[in-house]
């Protein structure tokens, strides 16, 4: 969405600076038994049925956002302290000013800065600007006061419509008293209101910045593109050059096709960024469809290892 490019650029900038990967340290005095129990519970959680995945609809490609505005400010300040690109003390106000500009508001006193800011990405083939930015409210009345007096009320069925920061229109609607939802397409909120109402209260990001990709949504929206890509891959694998390259790598055409099939069985993917004990961590996760061959393989790989063997 054009009006939100500065926000997404900021998130991308933060992500680009993260240069160290890692994993969580084991808690002090944690026994092997409690570790296995925790890992088992985590794996059971990861294997939840598809129906529990948030924003689970064929026209939703992904959802993500910020664990909280406060968390983003802390992370960005820590990064500036570590890399010394900008004065760390100036970063929070820079983020505030960027957000105010994109949302066309005069203050952020109305925003619940300790709650998730959620972006839902819908089918871009329906319209070019297919994102819904759901900003948590602390005080809806304060938000309405921060919106320019020029905002039109009730236009095209939206609560408010105002001129965007970079042209075009910015439409604002509400989920009760909890969220202000920004879109660039006038009819988009109506299509997703019920889904947002049901799932926004359930969002709990584990990372400061997080993206969750819906495998079913991607496969549905890009069905024809994926079909064409598979056909093109099959043609390329039949070429003499490909056969020679595969042979030199000790691979076969059938093995490559099985790998492509595994991608089709992925249920979701997650990418997240956060700071732990002064270290910037990149977290990734792939979940497969329940009872699929890929899912069974993930389960096998995730079995606890007997340290006595």
């Amino acid at each position: 969405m054009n009006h939100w490019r500065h926000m997404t650029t900021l998130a991308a900038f933060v992500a680009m600076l993260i240069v160290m990967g890692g994993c969580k340290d084991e808690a002090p005095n944690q026994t092997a038994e409690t570790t296995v129990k925790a890992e088992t519970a985590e794996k059971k959680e990861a294997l939840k049925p598809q129906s529990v995945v948030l924003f689970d609809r064929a026209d939703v490609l992904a959802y993500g956002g910020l664990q909280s505005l406060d968390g983003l400010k802390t992370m960005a300040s820590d990064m500036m302290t570590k890399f010394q690109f900008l004065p760390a003390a100036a970063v929070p106000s820079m983020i505030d000013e960027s957000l105010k500009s994109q949302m066309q508001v005069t203050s952020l006193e109305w925003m619940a800065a300790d709650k998730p800011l959620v972006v839902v990405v819908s089918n871009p083939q329906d319209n070019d600007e297919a994102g819904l930015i759901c900003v948590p409210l602390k005080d809806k009345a304060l938000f309405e006061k921060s919106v320019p007096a020029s905002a039109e009320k009730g236009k095209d069925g939206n609560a408010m419509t105002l001129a965007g920061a970079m042209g075009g229109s910015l439409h604002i609607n509400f989920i009760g008293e909890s969220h202000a939802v920004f879109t660039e397409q006038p009819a988009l909120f109506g299509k997703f209101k019920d889904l947002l109402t049901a799932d926004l209260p359930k969002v709990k990001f584990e990372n400061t910045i997080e993206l969750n990709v819906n495998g079913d949504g991607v496969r549905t929206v890009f069905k024809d593109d994926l079909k064409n890509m598979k056909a093109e891959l099959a043609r390329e694998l039949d070429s003499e050059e490909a056969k020679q390259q595969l042979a030199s790598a000790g691979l076969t055409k059938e093995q490559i096709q099985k790998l492509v099939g595994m991608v089709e069985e992925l249920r979701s993917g997650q990418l997240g960024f956060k700071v732990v004990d002064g270290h910037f961590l990149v977290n990734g996760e792939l979940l497969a469809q329940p009872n699929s061959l890929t899912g069974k393989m993930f389960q096998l790989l995730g079995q606890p290892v007997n340290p006595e063997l």
Side-chain angles (χ1 to χ4, degrees), residues 224-243:
D224 292 339
D225 299 277
L226 292 171
K227 183 179 178 180
N228 293 335
M229 287 173 61
K230 285 180 64 177
E232 179 63 26
L233 176 62
R235 286 193 293 270
E236 290 183 3
L237 290 175
D238 284 332
S239 70
E240 288 302 319
E241 182 181 1
K243 290 176 181 178

Side-chain angles (χ1 to χ4, degrees), residues 38-53 266-270 284-291 295 298-299 302:
E39 290 176 346
T40 302
E42 185 177 352
K43 289 178 177 60
K44 286 181 178 179
E45 178 73 7
L47 292 170
K48 287 188 293 188
Q50 175 75 6
S51 58
V52 216
V53 175
L266 291 178
R267 179 180 113 199
S268 63
Q270 182 187 97
E285 181 181 62
L286 291 174
L287 299 181
Q289 298 285 4
N291 301 318
F298 283 180
Q299 282 183 289

Side-chain angles (χ1 to χ4, degrees), residues 55-308:
F55 306 103
D56 180 25
R57 218 165 75 175
D59 56 351
V60 174
L61 297 183
Y63 77 94
L66 307 177
Q67 192 173 48
S68 69
L69 177 60
D70 286 344
L72 176 67
K73 290 179 180 179
T74 299
M75 180 181 184
S77 296
D78 287 347
M79 293 175 70
M80 292 306 105
T81 299
K82 188 175 185 68
F83 296 107
Q84 299 182 346
F85 288 151
L86 294 169
V91 171
S93 61
M94 292 173 62
I95 293 174
D96 283 346
E97 291 304 314
S98 175
L99 286 175
K100 286 193 292 183
S101 172
Q102 299 309 308
M103 291 188 284
Q104 295 289 281
V105 294
T106 57
S107 79
L108 294 178
E109 295 178 10
W110 50 268
M111 184 176 175
D114 59 341
K115 294 182 179 179
L117 185 156
V118 182
V119 180
V120 177
V121 182
S122 65
N123 185 354
Q125 295 178 350
D126 287 343
N127 46 70
D128 292 334
E129 312 294 351
L132 301 101
I133 290 79
C134 310
V135 184
L137 293 170
K138 180 173 65 177
D139 189 319
K140 184 178 177 181
L142 275 180
F143 171 79
E144 291 173 336
K145 289 180 181 178
S146 74
V147 174
S150 59
E152 299 181 68
K153 295 185 177 181
K155 183 179 180 181
D156 297 324
N158 294 281
M160 299 179 181
T161 299
L162 56 151
M166 300 176 67
S169 296
L170 193 59
H171 307 284
I172 305 171
N173 291 280
F174 300 97
I175 301 293
E177 301 285 321
S178 66
H179 289 83
V181 181
F182 294 77
T183 66
E184 290 191 344
Q185 288 290 332
L188 197 57
F189 176 75
K191 296 178 182 178
F192 288 87
K193 180 179 179 181
D194 291 344
L195 185 64
L196 297 177
T197 301
D199 282 4
L200 278 174
K202 304 174 187 176
V203 174
K204 185 180 179 182
F205 294 132
E206 298 299 324
N207 301 282
T208 306
I209 302 173
E210 189 168 299
L211 174 67
N212 296 276
V213 178
N214 179 356
D216 283 344
V218 172
R219 282 187 289 271
T220 299
V221 171
F222 297 107
K223 180 179 179 180
D224 292 339
D225 299 277
L226 292 171
K227 183 179 178 180
N228 293 335
M229 287 173 61
K230 285 180 64 177
E232 179 63 26
L233 176 62
R235 286 193 293 270
E236 290 183 3
L237 290 175
D238 284 332
S239 70
E240 288 302 319
E241 182 181 1
K243 290 176 181 178
Q244 293 174 8
Q245 291 177 344
L246 289 173
S248 64
L251 296 171
T252 66
K253 172 183 175 180
E254 289 71 25
Q255 288 173 321
I256 300 299
Q257 289 174 327
K258 284 181 180 179
L259 288 174
V260 174
M262 288 174 60
V263 173
E264 292 181 335
E265 292 179 344
L266 291 178
R267 179 180 113 199
S268 63
Q270 182 187 97
L271 181 65
F273 307 96
K274 62 182 176 181
V275 177
V276 177
D277 296 330
H279 296 283
F280 302 102
L281 306 183
V282 181
N283 297 310
E285 181 181 62
L286 291 174
L287 299 181
Q289 298 285 4
N291 301 318
S292 66
L293 179 61
T294 305
K296 291 176 182 178
M297 184 185 73
F298 283 180
Q299 282 183 289
L300 180 62
L301 293 174
Q303 293 295 321
V305 176
N306 186 342
E308 296 181 0

